[in-house]
């Protein structure tokens, strides 16, 4: 089975067998476009070119013909198409696009945002489709009028392969337009957004075989025509399945370009402070229950931060320009290890791309504090790792408060390649973290779901096959945990100060421009 993951800057295809082993892997990238300061777009046609390359590479290297394709897609992308053929009217907004912030005040004046959150599981924020559609109506009314359908990148690529317009319930739950109780498009939200249900793709289960690979798509990808194509789900949901997370109470922390803390729950859960999201993992999945083995929906709650590996990338590019790629990151980690916890008073608030959970503050800016003549780039390196850990601790606290987790928390993503960073996070949270070695959790999860959909494996086999090779366990040091608890309190105080002056500084900048 091919698991195809459509990320923000690259796509990956993996070919899995029924034991969860990789038989072929291919990746390709595309450039995130930033035409305006708050914009973060992708040209879906560039994504399509990358998809064709990775599918052909897998087809060429596959030892046996694949049995199907199943999708994983980055959350929150949105753009209009002009017709059933899928002609794009504009580039796709990605999760990092913050232009819809401009309509926030008008939106909260028009609706009960608390009731909205309870219906959709999505706080009011520029990441979600409701606010973005209102922005489109205000800023690009001509495009709004021309729109035949509003789709995400995964929807568009799936259509390019099959000719069918559908979106899966898992990904739909991350748009802010889906009613979590009925699992249908919420008519009240659509009314606020200014769109009709027939302007959105048809909703299907994540395990639905939505169609077959068309002859045209087969010719351009090198795969056989008629190959079954399964809807799949959001990258967050597929990453959970790819790490064996498929039971209530289990948790995973992922730190790649961005970062996320996710916990599986058996029913929707809403944070009283609306600091976290609640998304659908799967609309039906066999799972243990008090009455035996049952089947029903699973959800995942948590929060995503905008600045994970992006923060270390910024430090490497700005302060290690003489060292390219992996060599630069290795030196950055070595330097960070030479500095004690707390970076000798240096704090980095890593809000280079604003922030999502738990503050939902797209206008937040990065800030460095505590610099003195004796500090050097090693202090920046340590402070960057600690800054990301502080952001994740904010999300952790929103989920758990003063409680602790009895479950071993899985740790995935690029952070697992930097042991010091993983240890800092364990010390910050005060919980053991088990690093998982896996090529790509989202593509893996999609491949396993595809095999489950075609009855090539059972749900129990899915959990076994998805159990990635365990890496090291990072156990928190009690002394460092006590230190980092205080460090986190000071970090929060700095953030409050930053927010207090942020608006006046923004006004000053705009007055000059």
């Amino acid at each position: 089975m091919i698991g195809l993951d459509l990320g923000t800057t690259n796509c990956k295809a993996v070919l899995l067998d029924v034991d969860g082993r990789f038989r072929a892997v291919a990746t390709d990238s595309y450039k995130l476009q930033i035409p305006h300061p708050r914009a973060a777009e992708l040209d879906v046609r560039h994504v399509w070119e990358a998809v064709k390359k990775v599918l052909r590479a897998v087809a060429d290297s596959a030892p046996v013909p694949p049995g199907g394709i199943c999708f994983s897609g980055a959350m929150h992308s949105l753009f209009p198409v002009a017709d059933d053929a899928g002609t794009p009217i504009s580039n796709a907004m990605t999760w990092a696009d913050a232009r819809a912030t401009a309509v926030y005040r008008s939106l909260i004046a028009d609706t009960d945002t608390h009731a909205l959150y309870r219906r959709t599981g999505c706080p009011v924020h520029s990441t979600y489709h409701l606010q973005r559609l209102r922005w489109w109506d205000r800023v690009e009314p001509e495009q709004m009028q021309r729109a035949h359908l509003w789709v995400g990148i995964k929807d568009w690529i799936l259509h390019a392969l099959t000719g069918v317009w559908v979106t899966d319930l898992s990904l739909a739950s991350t748009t802010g337009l889906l009613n979590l109780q009925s699992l249908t498009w919420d008519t009240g939200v659509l009314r606020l957004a200014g769109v009709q249900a027939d302007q959105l793709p048809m909703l299907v289960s994540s395990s639905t075989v939505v169609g077959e690979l068309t002859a045209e798509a087969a010719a351009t990808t090198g795969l056989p025509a008629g190959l079954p194509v399964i809807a799949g789900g959001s990258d967050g949901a597929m990453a959970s399945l790819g790490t064996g997370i498929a039971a209530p109470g289990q948790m995973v922390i992922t730190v790649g370009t961005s970062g996320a803390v996710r916990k599986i729950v058996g029913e929707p859960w809403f944070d009283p402070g609306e600091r976290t999201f609640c998304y659908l993992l799967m609309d039906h999945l066999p799972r243990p229950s008090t009455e035996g083995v049952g089947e029903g929906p699973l959800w995942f709650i948590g929060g995503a931060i905008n600045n994970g590996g992006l923060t270390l990338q910024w430090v490497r590019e700005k302060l290690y320009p003489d060292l390219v790629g992996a060599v630069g990151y290795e030196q950055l980690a070595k330097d960070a290890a030479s500095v004690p916890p707390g970076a000798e008073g240096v704090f980095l608030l890593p809000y280079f791309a604003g922030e999502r959970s738990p503050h939902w503050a797209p206008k937040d800016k990065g800030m460095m504090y505590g610099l003195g003549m004796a500090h050097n780039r090693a202090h920046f390196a340590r402070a960057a790792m600690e800054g990301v850990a502080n952001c994740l601790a904010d999300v952790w606290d929103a989920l758990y408060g003063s409680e602790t987790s009895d479950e071993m928390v899985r740790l995935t993503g690029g952070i697992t390649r930097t042991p010091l960073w993983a240890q800092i996070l364990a010390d910050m949270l005060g919980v053991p973290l088990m690093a998982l070695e896996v090529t790509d959790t989202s593509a893996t999860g999609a491949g396993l779901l595809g095999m489950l959909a075609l009855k090539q494996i059972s749900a129990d086999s899915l959990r076994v096959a998805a159990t990635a090779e365990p890496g090291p366990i990072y156990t928190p040091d009690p002394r460092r945990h006590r230190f980092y608890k205080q460090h986190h309190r000071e970090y929060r105080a700095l953030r409050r100060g930053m927010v207090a002056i942020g608006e006046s500084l923004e006004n000053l900048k705009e007055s000059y421009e």
Side-chain angles (χ1 to χ4, degrees):
M1 178 65 62
I2 295 175
L4 179 61
D5 177 50
L6 306 172
T8 306
T9 56
N10 64 79
C11 65
K12 176 172 285 187
V14 301
L15 181 65
L16 296 179
D17 63 22
V18 293
D19 295 318
R21 294 174 300 190
F22 295 100
R23 308 303 295 271
V25 178
T27 63
D28 199 53
S29 62
Y30 27 84
K31 187 174 179 58
L32 189 67
Q33 299 180 23
I34 307 176
H36 309 291
R38 291 183 181 174
E41 304 176 342
L42 282 174
D43 186 329
V44 72
R45 292 164 296 194
H46 295 168
V47 180
W48 174 229
E49 292 303 314
V51 166
K52 290 188 288 187
K53 288 179 183 177
V54 298
L55 290 180
R56 179 167 287 279
V58 167
D60 290 345
S61 60
V64 294
I69 305 174
C70 188
F71 281 87
S72 162
M75 296 179 270
H76 315 308
S77 64
L78 178 68
F79 64 104
V81 297
D83 47 42
D84 262 339
T87 307
I89 294 174
S90 75
N91 285 341
M93 281 185 171
T94 68
W95 61 265
D97 197 299
R99 284 174 289 177
T101 305
V103 300
Y104 174 77
R105 290 181 180 175
S106 66
L107 177 57
I108 62 174
D110 287 349
T111 188
D112 180 346
T113 58
H114 305 298
L116 205 64
Y117 172 66
R118 299 280 300 186
R119 297 208 311 271
T120 66
C122 300
V124 174
H125 187 262
S126 60
T127 296
Y128 297 113
H129 286 15
L130 169 57
Q131 205 160 322
R132 290 179 168 186
L133 287 164
R134 286 174 68 101
W135 175 88
W136 236 295
D137 188 46
R138 174 181 293 184
V139 179
E140 299 287 355
E142 183 181 348
Q143 291 185 3
M144 191 83 177
Q145 290 298 317
R146 289 178 57 203
H148 173 66
L149 287 173
W150 291 92
V151 301
I153 290 172
K154 184 172 85 69
D155 307 328
W156 196 92
I157 298 297
L158 195 152
H159 176 267
L161 292 174
T162 66
V164 178
W165 284 114
V166 297
T167 197
D168 69 272
L169 287 165
S170 167
L171 197 61
S173 74
T174 73
T175 66
L177 304 180
L178 189 78
N179 186 296
L180 295 189
Q181 298 301 321
S182 64
L183 296 184
T184 59
W185 297 122
D186 188 294
T187 55
V189 178
L190 297 189
R191 189 162 50 250
L192 283 168
V195 297
Q196 304 292 324
D198 60 7
Q199 290 181 282
L200 300 171
M202 182 177 69
L203 294 166
V204 297
S205 168
S206 292
S207 58
T208 298
V209 179
V210 300
E212 297 178 341
L213 201 66
T214 66
E216 182 181 1
T220 195
T221 61
L223 293 168
L227 194 69
V229 179
I230 296 95
S234 71
D235 57 355
M238 295 302 99
S240 296
L241 294 180
T243 54
I245 304 294
Q250 293 181 317
M251 293 195 68
V252 61
I253 297 175
T254 301
V255 184
T257 303
S258 56
V261 181
R262 300 188 297 273
K263 178 183 179 181
I264 307 302
V265 292
E267 59 185 24
W269 180 88
F270 306 101
D271 174 47
E274 300 179 15
R275 297 168 295 174
T276 59
F277 57 66
C278 178
Y279 300 152
L280 186 67
L281 177 77
M282 283 281 291
D283 49 301
H284 62 87
L285 187 70
R287 55 190 171 97
S289 69
T290 55
E291 293 79 25
V293 177
E295 183 171 299
L298 283 174
W299 314 82
F300 65 101
I301 59 173
I305 64 170
N306 282 356
N307 307 275
L310 183 70
T311 302
L312 265 63
Q313 177 185 336
W314 186 91
V315 173
R316 192 205 64 74
E317 290 177 351
K318 305 301 182 186
L319 302 181
Y320 295 80
D322 52 319
L323 301 174
V324 179
V327 176
Y329 286 109
E330 289 169 6
Q331 187 60 50
L332 185 155
K334 183 178 178 180
D335 286 354
S338 71
V339 176
E344 295 183 324
V346 176
F347 284 81
L348 173 60
L349 278 64
Y351 302 120
F352 298 103
E355 189 54 295
R356 281 182 284 174
S357 303
H359 307 295
W360 303 103
K363 292 184 178 181
D364 273 6
K365 305 295 183 184
M367 183 176 82
M368 185 69 72
Y369 175 83
L371 296 178
M373 293 295 291
H375 294 127
N376 55 46
R377 68 183 186 179
H379 295 86
F380 280 76
R382 179 93 192 193
M385 293 182 182
E386 292 175 341
V388 175
N390 272 305
C391 290
L392 292 166
D394 280 347
V395 179
W396 182 273
D397 288 353
L399 288 173
Y400 277 107
S402 60
E403 298 178 9
T404 58
S405 172
D406 294 329
E407 280 280 344
M408 175 68 72
V409 179
R410 277 84 161 172
L411 182 66
T412 67
I415 190 174
T416 62
R417 296 191 292 270
T418 308
L420 173 65
W421 197 11
Q423 185 62 57
I424 287 172
L425 181 58
D427 291 335
M428 183 76 71
L429 300 181
V431 297
L433 303 176
M434 180 175 68
L436 296 181
E437 304 298 331
V438 64
T439 299
D440 186 281
T441 54
S442 296
T444 299
L448 292 168
L449 175 61
M451 286 189 280
L452 181 66
L454 296 184
K455 297 181 171 52
Q456 296 173 351
I457 61 173
S458 67
D460 287 338
S461 298
L462 179 149
R463 294 186 180 95
V464 172
T467 303
E469 188 67 27
I473 294 176
Y474 296 93
T475 303
D477 176 84
R479 183 185 175 199
R480 290 196 297 266
H481 177 53
R482 288 193 298 272
F483 171 83
Y484 277 127
K485 283 182 68 176
Q486 180 60 35
H487 189 273
H488 189 218
R489 285 192 285 268
E490 293 172 354
Y491 178 92
R492 284 180 163 177
L494 280 172
R495 185 183 179 280
R496 288 193 295 271
M498 179 195 72
V499 171
I501 65 170
E503 187 171 345
S504 60
L505 290 176
E506 184 71 17
N507 291 338
L508 178 64
K509 172 176 170 288
E510 291 176 356
S511 69
Y512 179 78
E513 292 174 347

